[in-house]
Amino acid sequence: EGIILVNYDILGVFMLGASDLLSKLGISTSGNHEVTFVIGTMPAEIADSNEAYTLELTATGTTITAADATGLFNGLMSFIGLLDLTNNNMMTLQEMTVHDKPRFEYRGHQVDAARNFRSMETIMKTIDAMALWKVRKITKQHCPSCAPYNIIA
């Protein structure tokens, strides 16, 4: 089993990263559960955030609606988090509707390579994990006397 991504191109700059992450997690994109992406208006209770999204899961498919690509990506990450792939790669999903927005303007993680060396592979895995948790800012410090710099995705 797996998923089929519909209107996937409206993810814009997030499309490649989402595709790569799905592949790394072993989630097939040639399955039978449709995940449709829609740019639309948000309910009033979450409309004040450009990262807000709604996620509607049914037996026939999933619809992720957001005002922009960032919200769609956040919705996809929440969808991935709801997947139960422990049954011989058979997906188990509960029907539900989710209205969500971030509580904070940005979420971040600090990598201190000056005091604790991290390989490039480890940093890339950290970035993948950050995407799943919708953490969009990484701060990296290269040397003890250097000022840290921020990378915002």
Side-chain angles (χ1 to χ4, degrees):
E1 288 213 15
I3 61 176
I4 299 172
L5 301 173
V6 180
N7 293 341
Y8 188 47
D9 57 323
I10 64 175
L11 279 175
V13 297
F14 296 111
M15 189 168 60
L16 184 60
S19 178
D20 182 51
L21 196 53
L22 288 168
S23 173
K24 288 177 182 177
L25 293 171
I27 300 171
S28 170
T29 55
S30 58
N32 58 5
H33 185 86
E34 282 192 4
V35 178
T36 304
F37 299 93
V38 177
I39 297 286
T41 57
M42 297 289 92
E45 66 269 13
I46 61 171
D48 61 336
S49 172
N50 67 337
E51 295 185 44
Y53 62 91
T54 61
L55 181 65
E56 296 178 37
L57 284 90
T58 67
T60 58
T62 298
T63 302
I64 300 171
T65 306
D68 64 14
T70 304
L72 292 173
F73 183 80
N74 286 343
L76 179 61
M77 294 303 104
S78 290
F79 172 77
I80 290 170
L82 293 171
L83 293 177
D84 178 6
L85 298 172
T86 59
N87 186 17
N88 295 328
N89 284 334
M90 297 293 290
M91 291 189 325
T92 304
L93 290 168
Q94 297 291 322
E95 290 193 4
M96 68 181 74
T97 300
V98 175
H99 300 275
D100 191 25
K101 69 175 186 175
R103 184 174 176 192
F104 302 106
E105 183 179 339
Y106 66 84
R107 284 104 21 231
H109 177 72
Q110 180 174 354
V111 176
D112 186 354
R115 293 169 189 86
N116 301 295
F117 177 77
R118 301 287 185 253
S119 68
M120 182 60 87
E121 179 184 354
T122 300
I123 291 174
M124 296 307 287
K125 286 180 180 179
T126 300
I127 291 171
D128 286 343
M130 289 172 60
L132 287 171
W133 287 96
K134 300 176 226 158
V135 175
R136 296 188 52 231
K137 182 177 180 178
I138 186 168
T139 302
K140 191 163 189 301
Q141 188 161 355
H142 290 284
C143 64
S145 61
C146 299
Y149 68 92
N150 298 320
I151 303 168
I152 300 175

